[in-house]
Amino acid sequence: MQYNPGWNSSSVNLLHVRAVGPGDSLHYVWSSIGAPAVLLVATRSPSSALRVNWTQLLSPSPAGAVWIDPPDSVVYSTAVVFTKLFEFSEAKPLGELFYPTYDLSEFSWDSLNHTLNHTALTAELIGVPATDPGGGFANGSLAFRVTAFEAGGRAGRLPSLLHTADSSQLEFVLAGVAPRGNGSRFLLEVATVEEAGAVRRLRSERSIDDEYTPTIFEVLSLVAESQNGSSTLGFLQWKATAYGSRSPRREDGIRCRAQGLRAANWTLPTSSVIQAYFGESLGSTCTISALNVSFGGEEGQVYQEKRYLSWSVLLGFGQPPRDTFSALVISITAVALGAPLAMLLLGSCLVLLARRRRYSEYEPIN
């Protein structure tokens, strides 16, 4: 993990996370220069490196300021940008009432270096609006917590997402922000950038297994696929829940909905790292898609009471991880289903044996 590689100032935030394999390497570049975003690049070289021209990156024309060396080692690149935070309430009989939007590209962000933990491979990006006329953030903040992994496993806190060494986890946190209406709900806009040859699709999978995330039976994945659908290139994955507590429990769950993936025919807000890497192709050959993730519903009062909301999402390359039944669940299921079957078979055998013994006492009649 590198903070602002090649730059001594902490006035801006750029975190480079690099994972090296025997024949390839993966790059995650997190930044709050403009709208908070992450650039994901997979290369076929274990020695590929991130290069940054800081003077150009911080200029009004950053195109070409960020690249991977050697350039021909890049096999896939994509980006995710967190653009806006909406707040709305179900105002009856008028329907949904939206309050002024929080544009994340206009936030002021603390130095990420203060929260960087090289041992735990974590960092936290904390921000507030540069101007806050309504005072909603007077005692609150918005944060993105980043966690990288050295091996596969499962997060200890709910929703206990399954991860691999090729993935990173992001936790979106809203803490102490005063809602502007009774029963306010929040909605986060997420945009993705794909180069020519790839397309994003939203998948929903349901399972009867809620062992690791009680009462949640749906997993959503925003996957990047090649145009012919022959391979999955990258993904965002999350469970259909958020939580209203710093130490989440099942009863702290807040419903999480994805409101449909759509082509974004608008221009991305200023996000220098994304513009610096993709350059002119950002507005021509690249495909920009957007997704709204809303938090709340009939249990929307959870945030009103606790003023806390956290939503976890996994980002990575290749196929998203798939949960399977644990050995404990398989054993319990086998006992639950196997015991009645065994008793039935045993009972049938005893009945047959008893009947055979009963008739064997008689001599055959000639």
Side-chain angles (χ1 to χ4, degrees):
M1 301 180 77
Q2 297 175 293
Y3 175 69
N4 288 354
W7 186 254
N8 294 324
S9 173
S10 60
S11 59
V12 295
N13 290 311
L14 189 148
L15 176 66
H16 176 218
V17 181
R18 180 169 172 259
V20 182
D24 55 9
S25 58
L26 308 174
H27 300 265
Y28 292 83
V29 185
W30 304 86
S31 174
S32 64
I33 303 175
V38 56
L39 171 68
L40 298 87
V41 184
T43 74
R44 64 168 63 93
S45 169
S47 59
S48 62
L50 175 72
R51 306 298 184 195
V52 181
N53 182 330
W54 282 97
T55 303
Q56 187 177 353
L57 177 62
L58 301 178
S59 72
S61 302
V66 173
W67 70 98
I68 298 295
D69 190 24
D72 59 359
S73 67
V74 175
V75 294
Y76 173 64
S77 56
T78 185
V80 180
V81 187
F82 301 92
T83 53
K84 296 176 183 178
L85 179 69
F86 298 94
E87 182 183 350
F88 64 98
S89 62
E90 300 286 350
K92 297 179 180 179
L94 302 177
E96 293 180 347
L97 171 64
F98 278 82
Y99 297 96
T101 304
Y102 293 116
D103 190 335
L104 301 189
S105 65
E106 298 177 357
F107 270 46
S108 174
W109 302 95
D110 293 346
S111 173
L112 189 146
N113 196 34
H114 297 156
T115 61
L116 186 58
N117 187 324
H118 289 275
T119 303
L121 300 179
T122 59
E124 186 171 2
L125 191 62
I126 305 172
V128 297
T131 58
D132 186 21
F137 279 80
N139 298 308
S141 64
L142 182 152
F144 293 97
R145 293 175 181 166
V146 178
T147 304
F149 304 107
E150 291 182 318
R154 188 181 297 277
R157 291 170 14 112
L158 290 176
S160 305
L161 293 176
L162 180 66
H163 62 258
T164 67
D166 295 345
S167 59
S168 293
Q169 181 171 301
L170 178 71
E171 185 180 0
F172 166 72
V173 177
L174 206 60
V177 178
R180 290 174 283 186
N182 294 326
S184 281
R185 293 163 58 185
F186 291 95
L187 186 152
L188 179 65
E189 184 179 70
V190 183
T192 62
V193 179
E194 293 294 335
E195 290 185 307
V199 62
R200 285 275 178 176
R201 290 187 173 88
L202 181 63
R203 296 177 183 170
S204 173
E205 293 185 8
R206 294 183 178 272
S207 169
I208 62 172
D209 182 18
D210 69 339
E211 176 184 4
Y212 300 105
T213 312
T215 74
I216 304 301
F217 301 95
E218 184 181 14
V219 178
L220 295 107
S221 301
L222 185 58
V223 298
E225 299 177 342
S226 55
Q227 289 282 13
N228 57 14
S230 61
S231 61
T232 300
L233 305 172
F235 66 87
L236 278 75
Q237 184 186 63
W238 65 95
K239 295 195 175 183
T241 186
Y243 290 95
S245 172
R246 297 179 187 275
S247 301
R249 300 167 298 172
R250 180 184 61 81
E251 55 267 31
D252 299 318
I254 299 175
R255 179 173 294 185
C256 169
R257 293 187 180 94
Q259 299 189 352
L261 183 66
R262 66 190 187 280
N265 54 7
W266 37 262
T267 304
L268 277 176
T270 303
S271 179
S272 295
V273 168
I274 308 304
Q275 294 170 344
Y277 181 82
F278 290 100
E280 299 300 327
S281 64
L282 191 60
S284 55
T285 58
C286 288
T287 301
I288 302 174
S289 303
L291 176 77
N292 290 336
V293 181
S294 65
F295 310 100
E298 60 271 12
E299 70 288 80
Q301 296 300 318
V302 173
Y303 183 81
Q304 295 281 345
E305 297 170 0
K306 300 188 177 182
R307 299 284 176 92
Y308 190 88
L309 184 151
S310 69
W311 172 62
S312 299
V313 57
L314 196 71
L315 304 91
F317 298 89
Q319 289 280 1
R322 298 192 67 176
D323 264 322
T324 56
F325 291 103
S326 69
L328 176 62
V329 170
I330 293 174
S331 301
I332 293 174
T333 304
V335 171
L337 297 178
L341 181 60
M343 292 176 65
L344 180 62
L345 292 174
L346 180 61
S348 300
C349 292
L350 291 174
V351 169
L352 292 173
L353 184 60
R355 292 183 64 184
R356 184 175 181 181
R357 286 182 175 177
R358 178 182 176 186
Y359 291 109
S360 65
E361 295 174 358
Y362 295 90
E363 291 294 331
I365 299 175
N366 190 352

